[in-house]
Amino acid sequence: MSKPTILTVDDDPMVSAAISRDLRNRYGDDYLIVRASSGAQALAVLAKLALRNQPVALIAADQRMPEMTGIELLEQARGHAPGAKYLLLTAYADTDVAIKAINDIGLDYYLLKPWDPPEERLFPVVEDLLDDWRQANPDHTSDVRVIGNRWSDRSHELKTFLARNYVPYRWYDVERDSEAQRLAQLAEAMPADLPLVLIPDGDTLRSPSTLDLAGALGLRTTAQQPLYDVCIVGGGPAGLAAAVYAASEGLSTVIVEREAPGGQAGQSAAIENYLGFPKGLTGSDLAQRAVAQVSRFGAEMVLARSVIGFETRGPVHAVQVEGAAEIEARALIVATGVSYRRLDAAGLAELTGRGVYYGVSASDASQCQGDDVYLVGGANSAGQAALNLARYATNVVLIVRGASLEATMSRYLIDKIAATPNVHVRCRSEVAACRGNGHLEAITIAARDNGRVEEVPASWLFVFVGASPRTEWLGPDVLRDDKGFVVTGQELLAHDKVWRLPRAPFALESSVPGVFAAGDVRLDSMKRVASAVGEGAMSVYLVHRYLATV
């Protein structure tokens, strides 16, 4: 793969030379730095690069140029370099125009001139944009390859695991791709061996578990220390935030995550109301940034392991991990979040993973090209998924039990859905049955008002209903409500003989001293990403207070 290009565009020769020099000094080893002195010249350069199939990572353009402004250039540049990141160099007087360009042309960032010193003002911005570009444009020569059946639940499980753990992979459908058939033949694979996972410089994996796959990829699946200051169960926004704050404050920290970092939020196609990101960001992007912070501060992450129980042994909590040694910690933070509730519809359980899915990943969305897709749910997660799927599917039908979306979905999502012509909403409806031979072929939709039923052909059904907390492993000592959410703080005092210490429980503390709950798993939490992050950070503050008492 040839060096990706960074293109700078400025009509002022001194400014053009300065930004090119700064970028070349910092990024010249990995990127080709090209400069243009006008919008027209920049478009000519981009056309030449496109013909040569040379990737363009970043275009940094000055706004105030004669004949063609920076925004006008960037708008036209999309046709030559659709995946490039856009950076606008502008004066303070043009900030309103730059902010408008975020929505109008997908501007990624605007930077006020001058940018001295570049180490503080230019390079952090450029590095962030290049990180995003590299994530979206990996060098495929080192990709993992997965060979399997499109409607296999095991194939779906492995692809989801790879995608959510940021492992680039290529998918080959053994029923439709001649290359998949060739690879399967070379591996002498029997039907029971599928899916195959081919890892560069590694052994061929035959229908591996996610734990086997994680180990083959070098992901950590066991804890490294006998005792930690804090163990965090769950790697969603609350757990990741707790790990960042705990590790940055010097606490030895381990996270145990059974699937992948990010939790439900990590699968979100767009989080548009998170503070500090005016253009919004994907759940995957947020999770990846958080994981990088966790790693930077030295917290450990144990993946592909389920926690099945815990015991309190004096001042220590022992977390029991399936298939591995237990982990001991002085404090425990429960951040396991929630999972989507299973639908009760005839035939649905047999087709789960074969056209019926709980949640949706980016790879699922791209596989729906040209199909009709059905979603069940009326909350924000369903709305975000519907808009993402609409980019690929012919039609997206949102099936909602309620009379409207207003009571359960944010207004900005409702407005976007109304403005998207291939997204349709069926209120007061529910899925009554699913049918298919080997994979989903049809669903039956029932009207809740009059009981009328209608069967429609369907290959894809995504479910986004309810919230079931993952707390069964906590045992009887941790008080939970009848739905499984952890009771914390002052609410414990409303239950007789639950809290036995002379001091009051801390705000996020459970009925077991030193065991805290943060995020969606906690009773009466807000069920929003920002609040989960806040509770994760707050839990560490309370852990410090707890550790000072024992």
Side-chain angles (χ1 to χ4, degrees):
M1 187 176 183
S2 58
K3 273 188 181 183
T5 299
I6 296 175
L7 175 64
T8 69
V9 192
D10 200 304
D11 64 308
D12 185 321
M14 293 184 64
V15 175
S16 178
I19 191 169
S20 296
R21 179 200 63 229
D22 289 342
L23 292 173
R24 186 172 291 108
N25 289 341
R26 183 64 172 258
Y27 303 106
D29 290 342
D30 300 313
Y31 294 86
L32 178 66
I33 313 300
V34 178
R35 59 173 172 159
S37 58
S38 68
Q41 185 182 14
L43 290 174
V45 169
L46 290 171
K48 185 179 293 186
L49 292 172
L51 289 173
R52 295 176 178 173
N53 198 30
Q54 291 182 253
V56 178
L58 174 69
I59 305 173
D62 180 49
Q63 168 61 5
R64 294 195 174 190
M65 294 187 295
E67 299 179 4
M68 186 184 299
T69 67
I71 290 175
E72 290 171 342
L73 161 65
L74 294 175
E75 186 173 18
Q76 295 186 49
R78 190 66 77 190
H80 298 302
K85 294 297 178 180
Y86 287 174
L87 173 63
L88 189 70
L89 305 175
T90 185
Y92 181 78
D94 296 324
T95 54
D96 287 345
V97 176
I99 292 171
K100 186 173 183 295
I102 292 175
N103 290 323
D104 292 347
I105 68 166
L107 179 68
D108 292 290
Y109 207 93
Y110 66 90
L111 184 65
L112 298 181
K113 299 166 67 175
W115 57 84
D116 288 329
E119 292 78 11
E120 296 179 11
R121 301 195 57 202
L122 177 63
F123 296 155
V125 171
V126 170
E127 189 65 42
D128 204 26
L129 294 175
L130 293 178
D131 281 346
D132 289 347
W133 183 86
R134 284 191 294 265
Q135 176 66 24
N137 297 272
D139 181 353
H140 288 292
T141 59
S142 61
D143 283 0
V144 170
R145 290 172 292 173
V146 182
I147 298 99
N149 186 291
R150 181 189 190 196
W151 301 116
S152 160
D153 53 348
R154 293 284 298 113
S155 295
H156 179 263
E157 180 185 8
L158 295 180
K159 289 189 294 179
T160 300
F161 181 83
L162 290 168
R164 295 191 61 198
N165 282 282
Y166 318 111
V167 178
Y169 73 92
R170 286 188 171 189
W171 162 247
Y172 297 88
D173 189 334
V174 76
E175 291 188 347
R176 302 193 295 181
D177 298 340
S178 58
E179 178 65 7
Q181 295 162 10
R182 187 184 73 86
L183 292 171
Q185 186 175 13
L186 287 174
E188 299 181 348
M190 304 297 290
D193 294 330
L194 299 178
L196 295 175
V197 181
L198 309 181
I199 298 175
D201 302 320
D203 294 332
T204 297
L205 303 180
R206 300 171 187 270
S207 190
S209 67
T210 54
L211 181 62
D212 292 336
L213 180 56
L217 293 170
L219 302 178
R220 182 167 291 170
T221 60
T222 56
Q224 302 299 298
Q225 299 178 204
L227 177 67
Y228 295 84
D229 291 321
V230 59
C231 175
I232 302 163
V233 182
L240 291 172
V244 167
Y245 280 89
S248 67
E249 293 169 11
L251 297 178
S252 57
T253 305
V254 62
I255 306 178
V256 185
E257 168 56 48
R258 71 173 187 173
E259 293 175 354
Q264 274 193 7
Q267 299 183 67
S268 177
I271 302 173
E272 299 189 69
N273 56 0
Y274 191 66
L275 183 66
F277 292 87
K279 193 183 174 184
L281 76 168
T282 66
S284 174
D285 189 19
L286 177 63
Q288 187 179 12
R289 292 166 187 259
V291 168
Q293 285 180 292
V294 167
S295 176
R296 173 189 167 199
F297 289 119
E300 290 182 31
M301 182 169 289
V302 175
L303 293 172
R305 295 285 191 185
S306 294
V307 171
I308 56 176
F310 88 103
E311 295 179 359
T312 298
R313 302 168 182 168
V316 169
H317 303 288
V319 175
Q320 296 161 356
V321 181
E322 186 176 22
E326 62 186 20
I327 300 171
E328 291 190 336
R330 299 167 64 205
L332 174 63
I333 297 175
V334 181
T336 44
V338 295
S339 57
Y340 293 115
R341 193 173 64 244
R342 280 351 196 198
L343 274 188
D344 184 15
L348 187 143
E350 294 82 358
L351 295 170
T352 298
R354 302 173 182 268
V356 177
Y357 306 100
Y358 290 85
V360 60
S361 67
S363 60
D364 293 327
S366 62
Q367 289 183 55
C368 298
Q369 187 80 43
D371 293 340
D372 288 343
V373 175
Y374 291 81
L375 279 82
V376 180
N380 280 7
S381 56
Q384 290 159 348
L387 292 169
N388 185 41
L389 287 162
R391 298 164 52 204
Y392 305 93
T394 300
N395 290 291
V396 177
V397 181
L398 202 56
I399 301 172
V400 182
R401 287 173 58 89
S404 69
L405 294 174
E406 275 71 10
T408 54
M409 189 178 292
S410 296
R411 169 51 58 182
Y412 78 93
L413 282 173
I414 296 174
D415 292 341
K416 282 192 171 185
I417 287 172
T420 305
N422 63 331
V423 177
H424 314 280
V425 182
R426 294 185 59 160
C427 294
R428 300 291 296 164
S429 301
E430 59 190 2
V431 174
C434 297
R435 178 177 60 80
N437 182 16
H439 65 86
L440 180 67
E441 296 175 333
I443 63 173
T444 300
I445 302 175
R448 302 192 70 209
D449 291 329
N450 55 24
R452 179 187 173 192
V453 297
E454 174 191 6
E455 184 178 87
V456 295
S459 297
W460 304 94
L461 176 66
F462 297 99
V463 181
F464 296 82
V465 294
S468 299
R470 300 170 176 175
T471 56
E472 64 282 352
W473 59 276
L474 286 170
D477 291 339
V478 175
L479 182 66
R480 305 186 293 283
D481 75 349
D482 56 359
K483 295 181 179 179
F485 291 95
V486 179
V487 181
T488 58
Q490 292 298 310
E491 294 188 12
L492 293 169
L493 302 181
H495 299 265
D496 291 338
K497 299 180 180 179
V498 168
W499 185 256
R500 300 180 182 276
L501 295 185
R503 67 167 176 85
F506 297 123
L508 303 181
E509 197 168 18
S510 74
S511 54
V512 176
V515 177
F516 299 83
D520 291 0
V521 74
R522 192 178 65 82
L523 179 64
D524 290 335
S525 63
M526 270 187 64
K527 310 297 186 288
R528 288 290 187 270
V529 174
S531 63
V533 169
E535 289 192 7
M538 181 180 174
S539 67
V540 175
Y541 164 72
L542 299 174
V543 164
H544 281 295
R545 294 181 63 185
Y546 165 76
L547 293 178
T549 68
V550 295

